[in-house]
């Protein structure tokens, strides 16, 4: 359902709730008020994205992808603030199938912007991992340092430490392949 339809439906239902209360039907008015409030809330927080996040936390990526793919045209169905989060979720789901193909979703999420800094840090950390997979150390270090700066609440410190240790191992493998150590 498009956002315009949700907003119109919420206004009509909230108006009906007020009318019911004015005419003395308080019980029905309050019930319809809650229903209208729920529809208005779904304007700001899309239910498909909420369910996708829930299934990702429960480690059920198939169901998460199923719910996210129900959003057919995210520019019409989501408000502008949610466009970056949609691309972040698409990138996280795509990472499980084809990690190198998810780069475009993370870059688009960063270009569209996200309000929460830890989500920006997650996107940059994922881009650092993709850069490491491509053996682009300079870009990986850049994204990793940006992710460290963005992670103000220290939610991703373990993942950042793990990524740094993997980068150090990548250096050791390059030295071994370069001919310094021969077994």
């Amino acid at each position: 359902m498009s956002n315009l339809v949700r907003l119109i439906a919420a206004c009509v239902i909230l108006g009906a709730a007020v009318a019911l209360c004015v005419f003395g039907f308080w019980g029905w008015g309050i019930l319809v008020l809650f229903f209208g409030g729920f529809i208005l809330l779904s304007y700001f927080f899309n239910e498909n994205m909420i369910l996708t996040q829930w299934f990702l936390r429960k480690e059920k990526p198939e169901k998460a992808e199923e719910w996210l793919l129900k959003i057919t045209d995210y520019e019409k169905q989501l408000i502008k603030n949610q466009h970056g989060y949609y691309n972040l979720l698409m990138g996280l789901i795509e990472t499980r199938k084809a990690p190198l193909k998810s780069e475009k979703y993370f870059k688009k999420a960063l270009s569209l912007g996200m309000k929460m800094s830890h989500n920006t840090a997650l996107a940059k950390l994922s881009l650092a991992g993709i850069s490491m997979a491509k053996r682009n150390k300079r870009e990986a270090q850049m994204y990793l340092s940006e992710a460290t700066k963005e992670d103000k609440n220290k939610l991703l410190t373990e993942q950042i430490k793990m990524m740094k240790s993997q980068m150090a191992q990548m250096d050791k493998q390059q030295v071994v392949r370069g001919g310094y150590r021969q077994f």
Side-chain angles (χ1 to χ4, degrees):
M1 186 184 327
S2 73
N3 272 337
L4 185 61
V5 173
R6 286 177 200 249
L7 197 57
I8 292 171
C11 289
V12 167
I13 291 173
L14 290 173
V18 169
L20 285 170
C21 289
V22 166
F23 290 121
F25 298 103
W26 286 96
W28 286 106
I30 292 172
L31 181 68
V32 173
L33 182 72
F34 282 131
F35 186 64
F38 180 72
I39 292 174
L40 185 64
L41 190 65
S42 75
Y43 171 78
F44 295 107
F45 302 103
N46 189 289
E47 67 276 359
N48 292 327
M49 288 184 52
I50 291 172
L51 286 169
T52 299
Q53 290 172 358
W54 188 70
F55 282 122
L56 280 175
R57 285 189 191 121
K58 295 292 182 182
E59 296 293 327
K60 296 180 181 178
E62 299 84 21
K63 288 207 176 236
E65 182 180 13
E66 177 185 325
W67 279 100
L68 193 61
L69 291 177
K70 289 184 179 184
I71 300 173
T72 54
D73 186 13
Y74 74 91
E75 292 178 346
K76 289 183 181 177
Q77 291 178 331
L78 303 174
I79 58 176
K80 192 171 185 171
N81 294 339
Q82 293 178 336
H83 292 180
Y85 291 105
Y86 173 81
N87 283 298
L88 177 68
L89 289 173
M90 283 298 290
L92 290 173
I93 288 173
E94 189 69 29
T95 298
R96 296 177 187 261
K97 294 188 291 184
L100 297 178
K101 292 182 181 178
S102 64
E103 181 178 14
K104 64 180 178 182
Y105 292 114
F106 291 124
K107 286 186 176 180
K108 186 149 186 179
L110 288 173
S111 69
L112 291 171
M114 294 175 279
K115 287 187 176 183
M116 303 187 100
S117 63
H118 64 272
N119 288 326
T120 305
L122 177 63
K124 289 182 180 180
L125 185 66
S126 299
L127 284 170
I130 292 168
S131 296
M132 281 179 52
K134 290 181 175 180
R135 298 282 184 202
N136 190 346
K137 185 180 175 188
R138 184 179 304 139
E139 190 175 309
Q141 284 177 334
M142 178 197 65
Y143 282 128
L144 201 55
S145 65
E146 289 177 9
T148 306
K149 289 176 190 173
E150 289 288 332
D151 189 27
K152 296 173 183 149
N153 296 331
K154 306 296 182 206
L155 296 173
L156 298 171
T157 51
E158 290 291 322
Q159 288 85 356
I160 291 172
K161 286 179 185 176
M162 189 169 53
M163 190 77 70
K164 286 181 181 178
S165 69
Q166 288 174 352
M167 196 173 298
Q169 288 177 353
M170 188 171 83
D171 288 340
K172 289 179 184 177
Q173 289 175 353
Q174 286 178 350
V175 169
V176 170
R177 288 185 185 166
Y180 292 109
R181 295 171 111 183
Q182 297 291 329
F183 291 106

